[in-house]
Amino acid sequence: MIGIQLGMLPGNNFDEAAEIFRRLQARFSIPACEVHLERTLYPPALWPWEKASLDKVKELRSSVARLGIHLPFMDMNPISTNPRIAEASLNILEDSLLFAAQAKADYAVFHARGRQVENASRAKELQAWSEVLVRLGRQAATQGLVFCLENADDLWNPGEIRTLLSENSIKLCLDLGHLFERRYPTSLMTRMAYALNDRISPYPFALKKGLPVEFANAWHQVLHSFESEIACIHLHNHNGRVAHRRLRHGKIDLRLPRDYGGRWRDLPVILEVDYSHATIGQIEDDLRHAGELLP
């Protein structure tokens, strides 16, 4: 089920992006979309506290079979050791979940962005994230939303994500491009070597250390291992330096394995490509290519 992230379409505001989406939908019968609530980064995104925002999304809801809401994440830290910062961040996220429920969305996508004090153990941070996921996941379930943790930011390791999903009965938004976002080693010399590889080398995936996947098609293994937990997929390419690239403009072979059957046609596969400076023709090319990628 192909969809588009409206927040990353061309346009200075939501109305302009929504008009482009409707034009594309008329031609390609697009059944799904996501609305972004991080207006700090994306001009076509919405602020969830503005009444006009809810009216706009309700109008959009009637034209799609599957609607997702991407929760905000900038300048927030729900696991901060400062209790006021943590609570303020959680309040924004809870207000955004309420917005998603009032808009009658099907699911909400959460980026786990935030750290504790510098010397905090990873086990302590993961426990704090688990408590956040319990709180947000319960609210989402009560409001009829599927709550999806995305593999991004400060929760990206597949092993950690598996534990958090199983402990908190939530789903996964599998972002294929983020599987190729490097986490740099702490050693200064090693870090510099990998940074030079990523920024200068014509073979940016040549060094594997720090990648959530170990080689260019290992994301197929991630799909298999998380099959029952995946509720949506974010589709974009990565050239070894920059994510959110057009589907044919990166190093990842994005073709889904043919043995996945019809189940993947029922999942929202959202084009989360940076189309802010793209032409309509380029977006149409990606839509056609996305249709070819599905089994």
Side-chain angles (χ1 to χ4, degrees), residues 143-258:
Q143 295 173 337
L145 295 164
V146 176
F147 185 79
C148 302
L149 171 64
E150 183 173 344
N151 54 300
D153 291 328
D154 294 306
L155 287 179
W156 58 271
N157 179 283
E160 293 179 352
I161 288 176
R162 177 177 301 286
T163 300
L164 290 169
L165 293 181
S166 61
E167 288 179 349
N168 298 291
S169 300
I170 59 177
K171 295 295 184 180
L172 174 66
C173 171
L174 182 63
D175 187 297
L176 301 187
H178 287 326
L179 288 174
F180 296 83
E181 297 279 282
R182 191 185 303 280
R183 269 34 181 200
Y184 289 97
T186 55
S187 166
L188 178 60
M189 294 302 294
T190 308
R191 185 183 183 92
M192 288 176 61
Y194 280 90
L196 288 172
N197 176 81
D198 291 346
R199 295 174 187 176
I200 298 175
S201 168
Y203 308 104
F205 287 147
L207 300 177
K208 312 299 188 222
K209 186 176 178 61
L211 292 175
V213 293
E214 295 179 357
F215 52 92
N217 286 323
W219 67 268
H220 293 175
Q221 298 174 11
V222 180
L223 281 175
H224 276 296
S225 65
F226 283 97
E227 184 169 3
S228 62
E229 290 95 350
I230 297 173
C232 64
I233 294 174
H234 282 176
L235 188 64
H236 54 100
N237 216 316
H238 197 300
N239 67 358
R241 296 177 174 85
V242 181
H244 300 288
R245 292 179 62 84
R246 292 180 56 208
L247 302 188
R248 301 180 195 266
H249 291 248
K251 303 286 189 180
I252 310 171
D253 180 354
L254 293 170
R255 288 173 294 179
L256 288 167
R258 293 290 171 181

Side-chain angles (χ1 to χ4, degrees), residues 115-131:
R115 303 299 302 270
Q116 295 194 328
V117 293
E118 186 174 349
N119 60 349
S121 70
R122 187 59 177 161
K124 184 178 179 182
E125 287 191 335
L126 289 174
Q127 178 58 38
W129 277 123
S130 184
E131 293 169 4

